[in-house]
Amino acid sequence: MVRQIVIVVVLIQFSGSAFGDTAQYWVAKDAVSKQCEVVTKKPDGTLVIALSKATYKTEAEAKDALKKLPDCK
């Protein structure tokens, strides 16, 4: 019984860290206002247009990339 509890605890620990941080950020341009922005939902290509194919793990990384794109200066 103790062995089964230990196995369950270990599995929960590893699965939690693997699925815990799944946020992704994209650099996109609003098709109407032409403003660049960082979005958390994958751009659809009609109202929000992706400026690169890259995804970023943190919002800070995405904002740095946004500043470097020539379309967003």
Side-chain angles (χ1 to χ4, degrees):
M1 179 76 173
V2 172
R3 182 177 175 194
Q4 291 173 340
I5 292 173
V6 170
I7 291 172
V8 169
V9 168
V10 169
L11 288 175
I12 290 172
Q13 180 181 6
F14 286 116
S15 67
S17 63
F19 298 111
D21 188 19
T22 60
Q24 291 183 330
Y25 298 90
W26 287 267
V27 177
K29 189 176 208 177
D30 188 292
V32 177
S33 69
K34 306 294 184 203
Q35 295 292 323
C36 295
E37 58 190 354
V38 173
V39 295
T40 56
K41 185 178 177 186
K42 186 174 181 179
D44 60 5
T46 55
L47 297 175
V48 181
I49 302 164
L51 294 176
S52 70
K53 293 182 179 183
T55 59
Y56 303 94
K57 291 183 179 183
T58 65
E59 188 174 3
E61 288 176 356
K63 285 183 179 181
D64 287 341
L66 182 136
K67 292 176 186 175
K68 295 176 184 175
L69 289 173
D71 292 341
C72 297
K73 292 187 178 194

